[in-house]
Amino acid sequence: MPIFITIKFIDQLMVNTGEVMSQKETMQFQTEVNQLLKLMIHSLYSNHEIFLRELISNASDALDKRRFEGLTDAKLIENQGNPEIFITMDAEQKTLTIRDNGIGMNRDEVIENIGTIAKSGTKAFLEKLEANEKDVSNLIGQFGVGFYSAFIVADKVTLTTRKAGEPEDSAVIWESAGEGEFSLENTSKAVAGTEIVLHMRDEHINLLNEWSIRSIITKYSDHIAYPVMMEIERTKTVPAEQEGEEPTTVSEVEIEQINSATSIWQRDKKDVTDEDYQEFYKHISHDHANPLLWSHNKVEGKVNYTSLLFVPEHAQQNMWEQNQDYGLQLFVRRVFIMNATDKLIPRYLRFVKGVVDTADLPLNVSREILQSSSTLDSIKQGVTRRVLTMLNNLATGDEKEKYATFYKEFGRVIKEGIGEDASNKENIAKLLRFASTENDAEEVSFTDYIGRMKEGQENIYFITTDNLNTAKNSPHLEIYRSKGYEVILMTDVIDDWMMGFLSEFEGKKFVNIAKGDVNLDDKAEDEKKEEPELSNEDKAIIDKITNVLGE
Ligand code: ADP
């Protein structure tokens, strides 16, 4: 059932344009979509510049896609020319145009991709808003509404697009004022790719000058790996040819590349600023918040690769969905190959974003090759270790609060690793935090616990329940409390499962105090002592009772 958009044909005019029969139809955005659009425009108004970052980012993704699909279907890159993003402005017409020669879209894809907002994310978005989530702008990025940010600065958007590999007359024009409806019309377009014309709102026409656009691009989109070209009109004064005549002014159009267009991960670390990393993270993750931490490394050895890995500050909405697309972007010699899901990073680190670029795979690498590539296996091991080290450094460093933020968002996910990744079990275990009988907050590590163990204590004692209160009031704890042993209180549903895979840590055995064979050294002694304390009188009574009642 199409819940997010109801298509209503308002007019259906058949215009005969000679060659192409142009069928124009108008469709309604769904009510919720309109509300969302208004909300977004309103809430992002103060940060209106980001519209350009979003559109350039989409153009860059479209160029990636065309390059990748062109590896296996050369038709798609025929006549493409240099992959690039082109910006022009027209102060008189009050328009700003962003053009790319990327993959483009056909009619169905236009309806699918920008005819609805955020597709299935819309419902979740509204639910979160209803749950009184304040930071709308932060939410927006998580729901894929990037394209619509165009309406922050434009009161009409005209998008013309043609899918690479499809005929010239299969192009389509999408147009909307962002209020209630959009129209679709067939057209003809000489080159494949997408052109977006923004008809600027009056209050934003001051952006239509070289310096404003240039500064937005260098601020937000410098890292984009394709050239962002801008057409710049310059007026020049030409001296008079003959004496006595006035000099003339002529205007010339120059085309200039605005961004540096080098892949950020290929640059020397010392040449990359924190802001560069943060903007790049936002580009690949579609997150509006800055990342919590990142790590940029060039690895040389048996396998050579560069990795740039980010840990977000917040978990994404779909983190607990079964088949969500996760993982790092795989590049081969700077050419985007694919989102490599579990080939580059294990599932329990699915929150990590970033890129891996290697020269040790062929450019025309297929999915089949990736399925069983020892190169990828080594990279995956390296990347996994790198992430665990980065997290461990955070956990043991000075920024304890930052680690607490991380743990609150992702602690449960990394626990899956105890069961999934036997080779890194110990390193993952180091990252875990729990409450204990010594500390109510979730901040006790196994290392802390061992540091506080009583002399001669051999085991790490723990109990699993479904909440902290039950854990603290468990009758099993009494004897440990009285003997001064600390017990770790595990209250997460996954903990019981996880402890099935964890039998020891740094040589100390884990013992679940609620399960059977607990061998608390002096508890055993206590029990032994109890028997001789029975007086002769007691014994006589017990014997009598036994006689009467039998066994
Ligand atoms: P997101 O980029 O997060 O998916 P957007 O609203 O920005 O969300 O874009 C929706 C979709 O529209 C994109 O996923 C892509 O499929 C398509 N799209 C947007 N811009 C372009 C473009 N310049 N070329 C081709 N497809 C595009």
Side-chain angles (χ1 to χ4, degrees):
M1 193 184 66
I3 33 175
F4 300 119
I5 178 166
T6 32
I7 300 178
K8 194 167 101 194
F9 294 85
I10 288 180
D11 55 343
Q12 209 174 38
L13 25 144
M14 301 287 284
V15 188
N16 194 339
T17 58
E19 298 282 290
V20 188
M21 289 286 276
S22 162
Q23 186 190 40
K24 183 163 181 171
E25 54 186 278
T26 305
M27 300 178 176
Q28 297 290 109
F29 288 129
Q30 202 204 18
T31 325
E32 285 88 337
V33 172
N34 288 322
Q35 288 168 352
L36 272 183
L37 209 47
K38 271 202 194 117
L39 195 76
M40 179 178 67
I41 293 168
H42 189 74
S43 67
L44 288 179
Y45 203 78
S46 56
N47 192 13
H48 62 272
E49 296 177 338
I50 59 132
F51 80 95
L52 194 54
R53 161 179 89 191
E54 299 295 318
L55 298 181
I56 290 178
S57 179
N58 281 348
S60 162
D61 289 347
L63 287 164
D64 277 346
K65 259 190 212 154
R66 187 168 184 183
R67 182 133 84 163
F68 177 61
E69 289 180 17
L71 291 174
T72 45
D73 183 355
K75 260 202 346 273
L76 296 183
I77 41 174
E78 256 171 35
N79 308 323
Q80 184 188 13
N82 279 339
E84 61 189 12
I85 299 163
F86 216 92
I87 314 273
T88 50
M89 56 194 128
D90 184 331
E92 243 163 65
Q93 298 292 316
K94 303 183 195 165
T95 58
L96 180 69
T97 302
I98 297 105
R99 193 172 80 218
D100 65 69
N101 50 357
I103 191 78
M105 287 178 271
N106 60 29
R107 191 183 179 97
D108 288 347
E109 286 167 338
V110 169
I111 297 176
E112 162 85 0
N113 293 335
I114 55 175
T116 60
I117 284 190
K119 291 167 250 171
S120 62
T122 310
K123 211 171 147 203
F125 186 95
L126 286 171
E127 278 165 7
K128 268 216 156 180
L129 275 186
E130 273 161 24
N132 244 339
E133 196 83 30
K134 296 257 162 34
D135 194 355
V136 181
S137 57
N138 227 341
L139 274 182
I140 281 164
Q142 298 183 20
F143 293 89
V145 287
F147 170 78
Y148 288 91
S149 61
F151 289 105
I152 305 172
V153 293
D155 51 19
K156 187 168 84 178
V157 176
T158 313
L159 172 143
T160 310
T161 183
R162 179 186 140 202
K163 177 118 182 182
E166 296 190 8
E168 272 189 29
D169 62 3
S170 70
V172 39
I173 305 174
W174 176 102
E175 193 168 75
S176 176
E179 283 170 1
E181 61 190 35
F182 62 91
S183 69
L184 278 182
E185 192 176 358
N186 295 340
T187 190
S188 197
K189 191 172 180 294
V191 290
T194 302
E195 180 184 278
I196 298 170
V197 181
L198 308 179
H199 306 265
M200 304 295 276
R201 295 176 193 276
D202 282 340
E203 58 270 40
H204 290 303
I205 44 180
N206 59 348
L207 288 177
L208 294 179
N209 67 78
E210 180 193 341
W211 297 106
S212 300
I213 298 298
R214 186 190 283 278
S215 77
I216 300 177
I217 294 172
T218 42
K219 181 165 167 199
Y220 293 110
S221 308
D222 195 53
H223 59 81
I224 294 288
Y226 300 96
V228 178
M229 312 296 285
M230 184 156 74
E231 226 173 53
I232 299 166
E233 201 176 302
R234 295 204 195 285
T235 44
K236 272 191 192 163
T237 310
V238 184
E241 278 180 13
Q242 298 196 351
E243 232 174 280
E245 282 182 6
E246 293 288 307
T248 47
T249 46
V250 292
S251 72
E252 278 178 2
V253 173
E254 285 175 13
I255 293 172
E256 197 183 312
Q257 181 174 328
I258 307 297
N259 64 333
S260 56
T262 50
S263 311
I264 181 172
W265 62 89
Q266 298 291 357
R267 281 158 53 190
D268 213 321
K269 267 200 246 187
K270 67 176 184 351
D271 298 333
V272 188
T273 65
D274 285 359
E275 288 74 26
D276 291 337
Y277 283 123
Q278 288 162 346
E279 280 311 321
F280 180 70
Y281 164 76
K282 289 175 186 170
H283 166 63
I284 56 166
S285 67
H286 298 268
D287 189 351
H288 279 242
N290 284 331
L292 195 67
L293 68 159
W294 59 84
S295 173
H296 180 187
N297 296 92
K298 199 170 178 150
V299 179
E300 281 165 355
K302 200 172 81 188
V303 179
N304 302 294
Y305 64 94
T306 302
S307 63
L308 175 53
L309 309 167
F310 295 92
V311 174
E313 195 172 63
H314 301 288
Q316 276 189 337
Q317 185 71 15
N318 62 0
M319 193 169 70
W320 298 102
E321 282 170 19
Q322 261 310 308
N323 299 315
Q324 96 277 38
D325 208 14
Y326 73 91
L328 307 176
Q329 298 184 344
L330 175 66
F331 285 75
V332 171
R333 278 171 244 138
R334 301 183 200 192
V335 176
F336 173 71
I337 302 295
M338 67 200 306
N339 283 321
T341 307
D342 59 348
K343 292 288 158 291
L344 281 178
I345 197 144
R347 217 183 121 69
Y348 70 93
L349 296 178
R350 59 186 173 274
F351 52 86
V352 176
K353 308 280 176 207
V355 298
V356 167
D357 193 343
T358 178
D360 294 353
L361 283 170
L363 253 184
N364 59 351
V365 62
S366 65
R367 276 172 201 273
E368 290 68 41
I369 294 180
L370 292 181
Q371 220 52 39
S372 58
S373 153
S374 60
T375 307
L376 275 195
D377 291 345
S378 314
I379 296 178
K380 181 175 174 178
Q381 280 172 20
V383 165
T384 305
R385 273 199 303 271
R386 171 69 56 194
V387 174
L388 294 177
T389 307
M390 161 164 79
L391 292 174
N392 195 43
N393 290 344
L394 182 68
T396 52
D398 302 333
E399 297 176 292
K400 292 272 183 271
E401 263 167 42
K402 231 177 175 183
Y403 190 73
T405 306
F406 161 78
Y407 199 76
K408 192 171 130 276
E409 293 291 309
F410 305 111
R412 262 174 84 185
V413 196
I414 55 172
K415 285 176 180 176
E416 294 172 11
I418 297 285
E420 282 172 17
D421 186 356
S423 63
N424 287 303
K425 220 187 318 194
E426 184 102 0
N427 285 331
I428 302 167
K430 277 186 194 158
L431 300 174
L432 303 181
R433 299 290 181 270
F434 302 95
S436 83
T437 44
E438 299 285 315
N439 185 336
D440 258 9
E442 206 178 47
E443 51 194 29
V444 179
S445 68
F446 295 139
T447 314
D448 296 338
Y449 182 98
I450 291 176
R452 289 197 284 260
M453 268 177 152
K454 283 179 65 165
E455 207 170 320
Q457 186 181 340
E458 291 296 317
N459 303 320
I460 302 175
Y461 298 110
F462 71 95
I463 185 168
T464 58
T465 61
D466 51 11
N467 68 63
L468 192 58
N469 238 346
T470 320
K472 286 202 302 202
N473 295 316
S474 164
H476 294 289
L477 284 181
E478 264 162 47
I479 178 101
Y480 293 86
R481 269 211 189 95
S482 66
K483 298 288 170 203
Y485 286 113
E486 181 173 6
V487 176
I488 295 185
L489 311 173
M490 301 189 178
T491 53
D492 208 345
V493 272
I494 191 178
D495 290 338
D496 209 33
W497 171 87
M498 175 185 79
M499 293 311 289
F501 296 92
L502 204 55
S503 53
E504 55 175 64
F505 181 81
E506 290 176 357
K508 308 286 179 202
K509 282 213 160 37
F510 283 105
V511 172
N512 185 339
I513 62 164
K515 284 192 181 158
D517 54 343
V518 174
N519 188 6
L520 188 61
D521 315 328
D522 32 69
K523 185 181 155 198
E525 275 170 33
D526 284 350
E527 276 161 5
K528 258 184 249 146
K529 266 188 240 140
E530 271 168 25
E531 268 175 76
E533 275 171 18
L534 282 180
S535 65
N536 287 339
E537 219 174 297
D538 291 339
K539 266 200 174 155
I541 292 172
I542 291 171
D543 285 345
K544 254 187 196 161
I545 294 174
T546 316
N547 272 340
V548 175
L549 297 177
E551 284 301 306

PDB file of all heavy atoms in Angstrom, residues 294-305:
ATOM      1  N   TRP A 294      37.594   9.931  14.936  1.00  0.00           N
ATOM      2  CA  TRP A 294      37.963   9.345  13.646  1.00  0.00           C
ATOM      3  C   TRP A 294      39.425   8.919  13.660  1.00  0.00           C
ATOM      4  O   TRP A 294      40.188   9.309  14.546  1.00  0.00           O
ATOM      5  CB  TRP A 294      37.696  10.321  12.495  1.00  0.00           C
ATOM      6  CG  TRP A 294      38.428  11.627  12.578  1.00  0.00           C
ATOM      7  CD1 TRP A 294      39.704  11.891  12.178  1.00  0.00           C
ATOM      8  CD2 TRP A 294      37.911  12.856  13.117  1.00  0.00           C
ATOM      9  NE1 TRP A 294      40.007  13.211  12.425  1.00  0.00           N
ATOM     10  CE2 TRP A 294      38.932  13.825  12.992  1.00  0.00           C
ATOM     11  CE3 TRP A 294      36.686  13.238  13.669  1.00  0.00           C
ATOM     12  CZ2 TRP A 294      38.769  15.145  13.408  1.00  0.00           C
ATOM     13  CZ3 TRP A 294      36.524  14.561  14.093  1.00  0.00           C
ATOM     14  CH2 TRP A 294      37.555  15.488  13.956  1.00  0.00           C
ATOM     15  N   SER A 295      39.779   8.122  12.678  1.00  0.00           N
ATOM     16  CA  SER A 295      41.145   7.636  12.586  1.00  0.00           C
ATOM     17  C   SER A 295      41.511   7.498  11.109  1.00  0.00           C
ATOM     18  O   SER A 295      40.770   6.922  10.323  1.00  0.00           O
ATOM     19  CB  SER A 295      41.222   6.286  13.301  1.00  0.00           C
ATOM     20  OG  SER A 295      42.470   5.703  13.113  1.00  0.00           O
ATOM     21  N   HIS A 296      42.618   8.078  10.740  1.00  0.00           N
ATOM     22  CA  HIS A 296      43.039   8.130   9.334  1.00  0.00           C
ATOM     23  C   HIS A 296      44.396   7.442   9.219  1.00  0.00           C
ATOM     24  O   HIS A 296      45.355   7.889   9.848  1.00  0.00           O
ATOM     25  CB  HIS A 296      43.123   9.627   8.939  1.00  0.00           C
ATOM     26  CG  HIS A 296      43.548   9.858   7.528  1.00  0.00           C
ATOM     27  ND1 HIS A 296      43.812  11.110   7.038  1.00  0.00           N
ATOM     28  CD2 HIS A 296      43.735   9.013   6.484  1.00  0.00           C
ATOM     29  CE1 HIS A 296      44.147  11.029   5.759  1.00  0.00           C
ATOM     30  NE2 HIS A 296      44.112   9.765   5.412  1.00  0.00           N
ATOM     31  N   ASN A 297      44.464   6.363   8.480  1.00  0.00           N
ATOM     32  CA  ASN A 297      45.714   5.591   8.457  1.00  0.00           C
ATOM     33  C   ASN A 297      46.087   5.060   7.097  1.00  0.00           C
ATOM     34  O   ASN A 297      45.235   4.619   6.337  1.00  0.00           O
ATOM     35  CB  ASN A 297      45.587   4.387   9.399  1.00  0.00           C
ATOM     36  CG  ASN A 297      45.425   4.842  10.809  1.00  0.00           C
ATOM     37  OD1 ASN A 297      44.304   5.004  11.279  1.00  0.00           O
ATOM     38  ND2 ASN A 297      46.515   5.118  11.469  1.00  0.00           N
ATOM     39  N   LYS A 298      47.378   5.080   6.881  1.00  0.00           N
ATOM     40  CA  LYS A 298      47.897   4.481   5.663  1.00  0.00           C
ATOM     41  C   LYS A 298      48.618   3.212   6.098  1.00  0.00           C
ATOM     42  O   LYS A 298      49.503   3.263   6.941  1.00  0.00           O
ATOM     43  CB  LYS A 298      48.883   5.468   5.043  1.00  0.00           C
ATOM     44  CG  LYS A 298      49.146   5.197   3.608  1.00  0.00           C
ATOM     45  CD  LYS A 298      49.925   6.332   2.999  1.00  0.00           C
ATOM     46  CE  LYS A 298      50.174   5.944   1.556  1.00  0.00           C
ATOM     47  NZ  LYS A 298      50.261   7.059   0.691  1.00  0.00           N
ATOM     48  N   VAL A 299      48.201   2.091   5.560  1.00  0.00           N
ATOM     49  CA  VAL A 299      48.788   0.828   5.987  1.00  0.00           C
ATOM     50  C   VAL A 299      49.620   0.257   4.839  1.00  0.00           C
ATOM     51  O   VAL A 299      49.135   0.109   3.720  1.00  0.00           O
ATOM     52  CB  VAL A 299      47.682  -0.181   6.375  1.00  0.00           C
ATOM     53  CG1 VAL A 299      48.280  -1.515   6.794  1.00  0.00           C
ATOM     54  CG2 VAL A 299      46.818   0.394   7.488  1.00  0.00           C
ATOM     55  N   GLU A 300      50.885  -0.042   5.144  1.00  0.00           N
ATOM     56  CA  GLU A 300      51.725  -0.636   4.113  1.00  0.00           C
ATOM     57  C   GLU A 300      52.272  -1.949   4.629  1.00  0.00           C
ATOM     58  O   GLU A 300      52.675  -2.053   5.775  1.00  0.00           O
ATOM     59  CB  GLU A 300      52.871   0.320   3.750  1.00  0.00           C
ATOM     60  CG  GLU A 300      52.394   1.411   2.825  1.00  0.00           C
ATOM     61  CD  GLU A 300      53.341   2.587   2.704  1.00  0.00           C
ATOM     62  OE1 GLU A 300      54.354   2.609   3.430  1.00  0.00           O
ATOM     63  OE2 GLU A 300      53.043   3.470   1.884  1.00  0.00           O
ATOM     64  N   GLY A 301      52.255  -2.961   3.812  1.00  0.00           N
ATOM     65  CA  GLY A 301      52.727  -4.269   4.248  1.00  0.00           C
ATOM     66  C   GLY A 301      52.262  -5.303   3.248  1.00  0.00           C
ATOM     67  O   GLY A 301      52.286  -5.067   2.045  1.00  0.00           O
ATOM     68  N   LYS A 302      51.785  -6.417   3.783  1.00  0.00           N
ATOM     69  CA  LYS A 302      51.314  -7.491   2.913  1.00  0.00           C
ATOM     70  C   LYS A 302      50.191  -6.955   2.003  1.00  0.00           C
ATOM     71  O   LYS A 302      50.137  -7.222   0.819  1.00  0.00           O
ATOM     72  CB  LYS A 302      50.787  -8.639   3.788  1.00  0.00           C
ATOM     73  CG  LYS A 302      50.724  -9.957   3.061  1.00  0.00           C
ATOM     74  CD  LYS A 302      50.375 -11.072   4.036  1.00  0.00           C
ATOM     75  CE  LYS A 302      48.948 -11.083   4.249  1.00  0.00           C
ATOM     76  NZ  LYS A 302      48.031 -11.639   4.981  1.00  0.00           N
ATOM     77  N   VAL A 303      49.319  -6.195   2.609  1.00  0.00           N
ATOM     78  CA  VAL A 303      48.264  -5.540   1.837  1.00  0.00           C
ATOM     79  C   VAL A 303      48.381  -4.037   2.085  1.00  0.00           C
ATOM     80  O   VAL A 303      48.629  -3.614   3.205  1.00  0.00           O
ATOM     81  CB  VAL A 303      46.874  -6.031   2.298  1.00  0.00           C
ATOM     82  CG1 VAL A 303      45.773  -5.335   1.518  1.00  0.00           C
ATOM     83  CG2 VAL A 303      46.763  -7.534   2.133  1.00  0.00           C
ATOM     84  N   ASN A 304      48.248  -3.264   1.008  1.00  0.00           N
ATOM     85  CA  ASN A 304      48.376  -1.816   1.145  1.00  0.00           C
ATOM     86  C   ASN A 304      47.027  -1.151   1.010  1.00  0.00           C
ATOM     87  O   ASN A 304      46.296  -1.421   0.061  1.00  0.00           O
ATOM     88  CB  ASN A 304      49.304  -1.273   0.058  1.00  0.00           C
ATOM     89  CG  ASN A 304      50.654  -1.940   0.137  1.00  0.00           C
ATOM     90  OD1 ASN A 304      51.386  -1.776   1.094  1.00  0.00           O
ATOM     91  ND2 ASN A 304      50.956  -2.754  -0.876  1.00  0.00           N
ATOM     92  N   TYR A 305      46.721  -0.319   1.954  1.00  0.00           N
ATOM     93  CA  TYR A 305      45.464   0.410   1.847  1.00  0.00           C
ATOM     94  C   TYR A 305      45.473   1.631   2.754  1.00  0.00           C
ATOM     95  O   TYR A 305      46.321   1.751   3.647  1.00  0.00           O
ATOM     96  CB  TYR A 305      44.272  -0.489   2.203  1.00  0.00           C
ATOM     97  CG  TYR A 305      44.251  -0.973   3.636  1.00  0.00           C
ATOM     98  CD1 TYR A 305      43.544  -0.273   4.610  1.00  0.00           C
ATOM     99  CD2 TYR A 305      44.937  -2.133   4.022  1.00  0.00           C
ATOM    100  CE1 TYR A 305      43.517  -0.703   5.931  1.00  0.00           C
ATOM    101  CE2 TYR A 305      44.916  -2.562   5.342  1.00  0.00           C
ATOM    102  CZ  TYR A 305      44.207  -1.849   6.288  1.00  0.00           C
ATOM    103  OH  TYR A 305      44.188  -2.277   7.595  1.00  0.00           O
TER     104      TYR A 305
END
